[in-house]
């Protein structure tokens, strides 16, 4: 979205203005008397913020900092870099940040020490001292000395040359950082004095040279920005994204100037190494640009005045009278960042989500350039390789360069988006360009009231975007998603029941028999033992503790399950809900606590964030109850690509997004992308927690590796037998680095059985006889079928298993060791292929 519009949206105020909403000004200086000076100096790298990016313009400044500014203003940065390392003062070490600047400044006669071998780099500098340094930088030292020397002569010369214009302070008092910025900026444009006559009577003359133009090779000039990137005024063609047209001349631009299209500006163009001039700064010319920024809420209507079109608008939300802005008869229209034929339909903001900036560039009180940004909202449902799909099925493609995407105030990529982001999309009339502004701001709470003005939530009024179509009931507790203007664009979650999710592990009578207790692990992962209130509600109906206990048990045993509950101020359970089972239908029920689906060895795909058609979002709560003695509460990050899981899905939204997933089985195999491991031996030992477990030693990635198993059941084959020497597997480790799951690729006890698997999760396995080996490929036949050729790259890992040997029988090998099948050796070759590339070869004898 046009940055001018973005700033107006975020700023929340709309009024007549002389500058665009986003001028290229450090935020601290914007709107202050330091604005121009700080903008120029920061663009020229003469003045920069501190380590936190702060300019601290009202703070005092020290001697070393002003010295650096003067040297840099003279274009002597390279000289300062080369002068580093020499210690001319006791208090300026060779590695002091200003060492080079001070050495150069001393050699140029700009500054001197205190006569005792010190420079005092951290001392505050006075108004007079800073003035003297800049007078010397401009070449006026001789003239200043003739006028009385320091300080009066220097101040007199500085005043004559307007170097002290707008600089505040008194001669002996410390000067502020902001005032030094103004002083330095004035000095840049002062005509330099240079020595033109030499000998016993040297002559000094004022030249037409300046530090800005001569030393910094930077030209200052005025003009109108007529094109920035693809956005151009009528009659002008577009330019490259990194260029700007000022009047009729195209320049490379070092900064984004899209917010200044149409403005009369003062430009700074610096000479580059290629010899051309690059715009490093452009600022609106004071008094030559007048703007009105307004949004559709402040738009009152269109009218005419003196036969010209005019816009009536309110100055702010509290105004009860409208103001009229007259549009020039030849006004140009920029609609969604592209020039468009002027149309009253396009500038009529009635019933739209839109923003308008009207610009008067000739001070005739008629606005001659009109910028309109009209947008529609799309709520992200999911993101795929090159598109985002909205919950209303709108498809937004990202497979070309016709868009700019912002997340907050930063540019973003498609993969940065996630479900429930609100995309405010402004598209040009010819659909050649879109600016998309993504927000993920929301407000949570109960909908207290609805009116024509919007929704009241938590005592605050929120307006509705014009494309918001949902109609939640008053009293609904929800999360309301806000668009770029802070208006409600979607209702993310709705629940008329408690969202106090917890996993119930026990329910029983207290020892005295007077109370019913429950044990739970709540959604924060904390375990709690709670007492039921005297009249608890069960699924919304007033009940008794005894009835609730009966509902939680089956054939005398407590049913461990997910519940929701609420407590009062005495921490007694006043409401408890058992899920309504709709898992057979697999449908959503947004008004009730619901079990929506049962997952049975369901595959998780990370690119879509789905189990089949069930989506998992960043807000999905995950209870891992696979070990009910150690229940864990986590989030979607627990799921790994191409792993299968079993569990229960609760409170699924209408977009099939899980509210809660209870994992009942988190056992998993290794990813198919994992390297093959050739088992050398399995031993038994004690892990770091002094628990007995199995230890795997194997060849992995060409090296021998030893790892502990998470427990003594992990390193087993399908028949329950332990892995043995020569088995080929893949393994997966847990967060502690222990093996948590394996996939058996080749059971060495069945080494006579040849096979070729179908590709699964990008992996294929081949085990057969080599018919012929070539320099970079091999022909392999499986079960005497026709041979297939497999290319072998230089990085392929090769191993050898020789079951005829009792020692050193499992080794790393090379492709040269691969030979054709020999009936005496009974040798075969195992091949693992991943993403159509051979990853490992294992020679088996």
């Amino acid at each position: 979205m046009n940055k001018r519009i973005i700033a107006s949206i975020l700023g929340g105020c709309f009024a007549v203005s002389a500058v665009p909403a986003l001028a290229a000004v450090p935020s601290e200086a914007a709107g202050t008397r330091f604005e121009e000076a700080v903008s120029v100096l920061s663009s020229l790298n003469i003045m920069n913020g501190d380590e936190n990016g702060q300019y601290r313009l009202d703070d005092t400044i020290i001697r070393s900092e002003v010295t650096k500014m003067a040297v840099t203003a003279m274009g002597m940065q390279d000289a300062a870099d080369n002068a580093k390392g020499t210690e001319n003062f006791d208090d300026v070490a060779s590695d002091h940040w200003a060492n080079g600047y001070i050495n150069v400044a001393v050699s140029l006669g700009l500054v001197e020490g205190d006569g005792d071998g010190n420079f005092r780099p951290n001392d505050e500098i006075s108004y007079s001292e800073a003035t003297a340094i800049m007078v010397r930088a401009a070449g006026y030292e001789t003239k200043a000395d003739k006028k009385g020397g320091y300080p009066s002569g220097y101040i007199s010369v500085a005043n004559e040359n307007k170097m002290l214009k707008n600089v505040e302070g008194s001669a002996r008092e410390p000067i502020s950082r902001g005032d030094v910025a103004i002083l330095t900026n004035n000095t840049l444009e002062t005509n330099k004095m240079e020595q033109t006559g030499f000998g016993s009577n040297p002559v000094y003359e004022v030249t037409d040279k300046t530090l800005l133009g001569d030393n910094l090779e930077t030209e200052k000039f005025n003009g109108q920005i007529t094109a920035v990137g693809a956005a151009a005024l009528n009659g002008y063609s577009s330019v490259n994204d990194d260029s700007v047209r000022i009047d009729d001349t195209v320049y490379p631009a070092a900064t984004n100037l899209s917010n200044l299209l149409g403005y009369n500006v003062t430009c700074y163009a610096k000479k580059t190494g290629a010899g051309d001039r690059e715009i490093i700064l452009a600022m609106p010319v004071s008094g030559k640009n007048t703007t009105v920024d307004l949004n559709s809420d402040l738009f009152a209507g269109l009218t005419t005045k003196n036969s010209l079109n005019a816009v009536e608008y309110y100055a702010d939300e509290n105004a009860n009278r409208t103001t009229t802005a007259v549009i020039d008869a030849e006004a140009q229209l920029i609609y969604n960042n592209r020039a468009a034929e002027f149309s009253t339909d396009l500038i009529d903001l009635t019933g739209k989500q839109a923003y308008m900036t009207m610009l008067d560039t000739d001070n005739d009180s008629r606005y001659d350039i009109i910028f309109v940004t009209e947008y529609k909202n799309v709520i992200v449902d999911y993101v795929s390789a090159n598109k985002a799909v909205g919950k209303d099925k709108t498809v937004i493609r990202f497979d070309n360069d016709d868009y700019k995407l912002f997340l907050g105030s930063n540019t973003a990529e498609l993969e940065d988006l996630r479900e429930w982001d609100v995309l405010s999309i402004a598209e040009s009339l010819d659909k050649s360009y879109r600016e998309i502004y993504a927000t993920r701001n929301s407000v949570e709470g109960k909908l207290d009231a609805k009116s024509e003005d919007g929704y009241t939530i938590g005592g605050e009024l929120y307006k509705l975007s014009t494309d918001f179509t949902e109609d939640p009931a008053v009293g609904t507790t929800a999360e309301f998603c806000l668009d770029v203007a802070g208006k409600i664009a979607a209702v993310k979650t709705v629940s008329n029941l408690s969202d106090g999710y917890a996993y119930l592990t026990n329910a029983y009578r207290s020892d005295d028999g007077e109370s019913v207790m429950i044990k739970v692990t709540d959604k924060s992962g904390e375990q709690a033992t709670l007492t039921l209130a005297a009249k608890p509600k069960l699924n919304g109906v007033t009940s008794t503790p005894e009835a609730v206990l009966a509902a939680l048990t089956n054939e005398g045993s407590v049913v461990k399950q997910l519940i929701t509950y609420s407590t009062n101020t005495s921490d007694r359970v006043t409401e408890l809900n058992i899920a309504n089972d709709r898992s057979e239908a697999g449908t959503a029920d947004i008004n009730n606590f619901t079990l929506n689906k049962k997952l049975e060895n369901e595959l998780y795909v990370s690119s879509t964030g789905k189990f089949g058609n069930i989506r998992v979002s960043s807000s999905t709560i995950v209870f891992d109850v696979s070990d009910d003695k150690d229940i864990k509460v986590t989030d979607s990050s627990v799921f790994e690509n191409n792993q299968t899981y079993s569990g229960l899905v609760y409170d699924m939204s209408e977009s099939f997004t899980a509210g809660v997933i209870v994992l009942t089985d988190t056992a998993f195999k290794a990813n198919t992308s994992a390297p093959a491991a050739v088992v050398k031996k399995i031993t038994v030992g004690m892990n770091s927690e002094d628990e007995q477990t199995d230890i795997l030693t194997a060849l992995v990635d060409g090296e021998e590796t030893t790892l502990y198993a998470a427990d003594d059941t992990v390193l087993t084959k399908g028949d329950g037998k332990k892995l043995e020497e020569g088995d080929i597997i893949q393994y997966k480790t847990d967060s502690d680095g222990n093996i948590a799951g394996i996939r058996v690729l080749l059971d060495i006890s069945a080494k006579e059985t040849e096979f070729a698997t179908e590709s699964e999760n990008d992996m294929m396995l081949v085990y057969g006889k080599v018919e012929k080996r070539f320099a970079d490929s091999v022909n392999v036949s499986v079960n005497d079928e026709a041979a297939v050729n497999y290319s072998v790259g230089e990085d392929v890992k090769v191993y050898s298993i020789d079951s005829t040997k009792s020692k050193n029988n499992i080794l790393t090998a090379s492709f040269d060791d691969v030979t054709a099948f020999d009936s005496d050796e009974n040798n075969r070759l195992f091949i693992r292929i991943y993403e159509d590339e051979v990853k490992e070869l294992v020679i088996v004898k």
Side-chain angles (χ1 to χ4, degrees), residues 174-239:
I175 191 170
S176 72
R177 296 171 60 84
D179 281 305
V180 169
I182 296 175
L183 170 62
T184 305
N185 188 46
N186 291 341
T187 304
L188 290 179
E189 297 186 49
T190 299
N191 288 340
K192 294 196 299 182
M193 176 174 277
E194 294 183 347
Q195 185 174 356
T196 59
F198 298 86
S200 58
N201 295 304
V203 177
Y204 294 87
E205 294 182 354
V206 177
T207 69
D208 59 359
K209 300 176 183 179
T210 64
L211 292 176
L212 181 67
D214 192 46
N215 294 53
L216 299 179
E217 298 183 310
T218 299
E219 177 186 3
K220 177 183 179 182
F221 62 94
N222 290 346
Q224 184 186 34
I225 294 184
T226 54
V228 184
L233 300 182
N234 294 343
Y236 290 93
S237 60
S238 62
V239 295

Side-chain angles (χ1 to χ4, degrees), residues 91-103:
D91 56 356
V92 182
S94 60
D95 59 353
H96 188 282
W97 72 268
N99 175 269
Y101 296 108
I102 293 169
N103 289 340

Side-chain angles (χ1 to χ4, degrees), residues 821-827:
F821 174 74
D822 185 320
S823 57
D824 290 335
E825 290 191 349
N826 199 24
N827 57 314

Side-chain angles (χ1 to χ4, degrees), residues 497-680:
L497 294 176
S498 165
D499 66 349
Y501 298 109
Y503 192 77
L504 177 76
T505 55
N506 202 1
Y508 55 92
R509 291 184 179 278
S510 60
D511 291 341
D512 58 14
E514 295 183 0
S515 302
V516 172
M517 318 289 289
I518 62 171
K519 284 190 174 182
V520 298
T521 298
D522 64 24
K523 66 181 181 181
S524 66
E526 297 294 325
Q527 294 182 357
T529 300
L530 304 167
T531 303
L532 298 189
K535 295 182 179 180
K537 286 185 177 181
L538 177 62
N539 287 357
V541 178
T542 301
S543 183
T544 65
E546 291 75 16
V548 173
L549 180 59
L552 297 177
T553 57
N554 182 29
E555 296 182 356
S557 298
V558 172
V559 178
K560 296 180 180 180
Q561 60 185 302
L562 188 72
I563 62 169
T564 68
Y565 72 95
S566 300
T567 59
N568 58 21
T569 55
S570 300
D571 213 25
R572 290 182 175 260
V573 177
T574 56
E575 182 172 357
L576 187 146
N577 302 294
I578 300 172
N580 176 27
D581 190 348
R582 299 184 67 168
S583 58
E584 288 295 325
T587 55
D589 180 355
I590 63 174
N591 293 314
N592 296 285
F593 175 40
T594 306
L595 169 61
N596 306 100
K597 188 176 179 63
K598 296 178 180 179
L599 304 176
E600 296 289 344
N601 293 319
E602 194 82 34
L603 186 71
Y604 178 72
V605 180
S606 61
S607 60
T608 60
K610 287 184 177 181
F611 287 101
N613 68 337
I614 302 295
R615 289 196 181 88
V616 182
S617 76
S618 59
S619 60
T620 300
I621 302 170
V622 180
F623 284 80
D624 182 354
V625 302
S626 55
D627 180 358
D628 61 12
K629 296 179 182 178
D630 184 21
I631 296 172
K632 297 181 176 66
V633 182
T634 179
D635 55 27
S636 59
S637 63
V638 73
F639 300 117
E640 299 192 27
N641 187 43
N642 289 332
Q643 296 291 344
T644 57
Y645 299 84
S646 296
L648 306 170
V649 175
Y650 293 85
D651 282 357
M652 180 182 75
S653 70
E654 291 177 304
S655 66
F656 291 86
T657 301
V660 179
I661 294 179
V662 174
L663 290 177
T664 56
D665 181 4
T666 58
F668 50 82
K669 298 177 181 177
N671 287 333
T672 54
S673 60
V678 182
V679 177
K680 291 194 71 173

